Amino acid sequence: MTAVREGDGLRAVQQYGGGPARSLFGLEPNTVHSLLDREIRSDWVAKILARLILHPPFDLTPAGSDALLEHLTWNPWLACAVARLKYWTVPKALPAAGAWRDLAAYWKQWFNTAAGAGTVEKFLASNAATIEYFEFIRRGQA
C-alpha cells in the first residue's frame, strides 16, 4: 500500500517535479543514508541488501549510497527491502490487517512524516482498489 501511494499507483519510480525520491516507495536520499548509517552495521541486513542488488559490487556503506539510490530506481525488490527496513525501525507495531485508517495513519506518521504532503485521506483514496481487493479476499470470495 505504501508503494501504491508513494509511487502514484505504481507508475512513478522518480519523484515528480525533479524531487529526490526514488523507487515506487518514494525513498529519499536522506532516508536511505540514515537507514544505511544505522542499520548496515547489522550483518544480516547487509547480506539481505547484497543479495537484492542485481549488479554487484556495490558499496553498502553510506559513502556508496549514491550508487545504491540509482539502483533503487530500477530494482523494485531492493526498494521494497529498504522500505521495509524503514518500517522495521519504527518503535510501534503495525496496525492489524484490515484496520485501513490505522494503517494509513501509521504510514503518515512513520513513512511520510508530519511534514510530508501526504494525508490519511490521500493514502486511503489511492489505495481504494487495493482495500477493496483485500476485503474481497477476507470475505472468502476469491
Side-chain angles (χ1 to χ4, degrees), residues 49-68:
L49 291 176
R51 288 180 185 203
L52 292 169
I53 295 176
L54 301 177
H55 304 289
F58 270 93
D59 178 0
L60 292 176
T61 66
S65 60
D66 288 338
L68 179 61

Side-chain angles (χ1 to χ4, degrees), residues 5 101 104-105 107-108 118-128 131:
R5 176 66 207 142
R101 184 161 286 283
W107 161 82
K108 175 60 184 163
T119 66
V120 168
E121 289 72 26
K122 287 179 183 178
F123 183 91
L124 293 171
S126 64
N127 277 289
I131 292 168

Side-chain angles (χ1 to χ4, degrees), residues 16-142:
Y16 296 143
R22 302 287 182 94
S23 86
L24 294 173
F25 294 90
L27 297 165
E28 295 187 0
N30 289 342
T31 299
V32 175
H33 289 225
S34 175
L35 284 169
L36 292 177
D37 189 40
R38 284 180 301 179
E39 304 303 331
I40 203 63
R41 294 182 190 107
S42 166
D43 280 346
W44 67 271
V45 170
K47 287 177 185 175
I48 289 168
L49 291 176
R51 288 180 185 203
L52 292 169
I53 295 176
L54 301 177
H55 304 289
F58 270 93
D59 178 0
L60 292 176
T61 66
S65 60
D66 288 338
L68 179 61
L69 284 170
E70 183 61 30
H71 203 66
L72 283 170
T73 305
W74 309 112
N75 184 334
W77 298 276
L78 178 62
C80 185
V82 173
R84 183 61 188 104
L85 181 60
K86 181 175 178 177
Y87 278 122
W88 181 70
T89 64
V90 172
K92 184 177 175 189
L94 280 165
W100 307 119
R101 184 161 286 283
D102 292 344
L103 284 166
Y106 188 92
W107 161 82
K108 175 60 184 163
Q109 180 177 3
W110 300 106
F111 201 94
N112 185 256
T113 75
T119 66
V120 168
E121 289 72 26
K122 287 179 183 178
F123 183 91
L124 293 171
S126 64
N127 277 289
T130 305
I131 292 168
E132 183 179 333
Y133 176 75
F134 285 143
E135 288 298 325
F136 181 79
I137 297 297
R138 247 175 27 153
R139 291 189 302 267
Q141 298 173 342

